[in-house]
């Protein structure tokens, strides 16, 4: 969620300060829609002077933004789970099924994987991955949540598929786990992929995430994260979706849309390539946000 809000602010050319807000005490147990005075619930506290624009993401942020909406322009990212008219603008993906006069709709989640960032990261990481043979397949691994399961058993099956693809198709693999990836699942991926000559980030030092994305000839991404899939399809690489045990109506609608668009295919343990065009609505959403709020759109 932080990456989505930050990606929108960066794409708009705004200077900004990040506020990570947390409910305290008893209020952490209640849905944010039940908070009677949201500004008294969160830490750190928010007080005037208010910014020219406040951007938030997620249901907790929605409660806070609605509380400060009388004093400043507020932009809500993701479905707010309340009346969108309470915000200056609401930015959602099409699978949120929300429309309205102040609602901006994109095909994917907002993100920070700009062309400029990917180009810069490619130059940084190209020498470090020079020993890996081509084609290079980036593997973006998420983790278990309340909808999908990515435990040791699932990781073992994914590792088996990736190693099989390396042997059958002559590709190399570079894996970047997320901080949500279970430690046992990470260890299985590291052991199996490295034994086959691939690379797995050990969660130490600089994160190669954007570098791996930038250099990839194809991307395999687990289906648990709309953000990771959105970042993957913003590149020019074909994207293969690794299914997980579990189900989410919203994420299912999101991935079904990308499959129907021809931008994503399911991963069946083999390397695939096709003419894939970048799908990135973040710059257009940012430009329209600026126009609606009365600011000059970002250059380019």
């Amino acid at each position: 969620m932080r990456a989505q809000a930050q990606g929108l602010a960066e794409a708009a050319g705004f200077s900004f300060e990040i506020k990570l807000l947390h409910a305290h005490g008893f209020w952490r147990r209640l849905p944010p829609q039940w908070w009677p005075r949201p500004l008294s619930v969160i830490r750190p506290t928010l007080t005037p002077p208010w910014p020219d624009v406040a951007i938030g993401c997620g249901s907790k942020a929605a409660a806070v933004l609605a509380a400060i909406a009388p004093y400043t322009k507020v932009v809500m990212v993701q479905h707010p789970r309340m009346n969108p008219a309470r915000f200056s603008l609401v930015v959602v993906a099409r699978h949120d099924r929300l429309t309205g006069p102040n609602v901006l709709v994109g095909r994917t989640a907002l993100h920070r994987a700009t062309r400029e960032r990917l180009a810069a990261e490619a130059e940084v990481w190209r020498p470090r991955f020079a020993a890996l043979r081509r084609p290079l397949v980036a593997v973006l691994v998420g983790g278990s949540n309340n909808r999908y399961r990515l435990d040791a058993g699932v990781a073992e099956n994914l590792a088996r598929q990736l190693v099989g693809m390396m042997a059958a198709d002559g590709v190399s693999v570079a894996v970047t786990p997320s901080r949500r990836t279970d430690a046992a699942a990470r260890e299985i991926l590291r052991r199996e992929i490295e034994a086959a000559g691939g690379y797995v980030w050990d969660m130490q030092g600089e994160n190669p995430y954007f570098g791996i994305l930038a250099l990839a000839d194809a991307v395999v991404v687990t289906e648990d994260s709309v953000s990771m899939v959105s970042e993957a399809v913003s590149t020019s690489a074909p994207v293969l979706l690794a299914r997980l045990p579990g189900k989410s109506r919203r994420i299912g609608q999101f991935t079904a849309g990308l499959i129907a668009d021809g931008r994503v295919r399911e991963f069946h343990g083999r390397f695939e390539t096709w003419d894939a065009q970048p799908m990135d609505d973040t710059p257009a959403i940012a430009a329209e946000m600026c126009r609606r709020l009365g600011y000059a759109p970002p250059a380019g």
Side-chain angles (χ1 to χ4, degrees), residues 164-179:
M165 177 179 64
M166 295 170 72
D169 299 318
V171 303
S172 61
V173 162
V175 180
T176 173
S178 77
R179 301 199 182 279

Side-chain angles (χ1 to χ4, degrees), residues 52-68:
D52 296 327
V53 179
I55 299 173
C57 186
S59 58
K60 292 181 176 63
V64 175
L65 289 183
I68 67 173

Side-chain angles (χ1 to χ4, degrees), residues 14 16 25 29 55 58 78 85 122 136 142-143 203 210 226 237 264:
F14 291 169
F16 57 88
R29 305 177 186 177
I55 299 173
Q78 294 188 354
L136 173 64
M203 311 293 288
F210 287 124
V226 169
V264 168

Side-chain angles (χ1 to χ4, degrees), residues 107-123:
R107 294 168 293 180
T108 62
L110 302 169
H111 58 83
R112 304 182 64 223
T114 64
R115 287 178 296 177
E116 295 78 12
R117 176 169 284 113
L118 291 176
E121 291 291 317
E123 292 307 307

Side-chain angles (χ1 to χ4, degrees), residues 143-162:
S144 296
N145 53 32
N146 58 2
R147 301 176 184 87
Y148 294 102
R149 176 168 55 85
L150 207 173
D151 56 16
V154 176
E156 189 168 358
N157 181 62
L158 177 60
R160 189 182 306 116
Q161 287 184 303
L162 294 171

Side-chain angles (χ1 to χ4, degrees), residues 35 37-46 50 63-64 67-68 71:
W35 298 346
R37 292 181 297 164
L39 295 183
S40 68
V41 166
I42 57 164
R43 297 291 184 270
T45 57
L46 297 181
W50 303 111
V64 175
I68 67 173
Y71 316 113

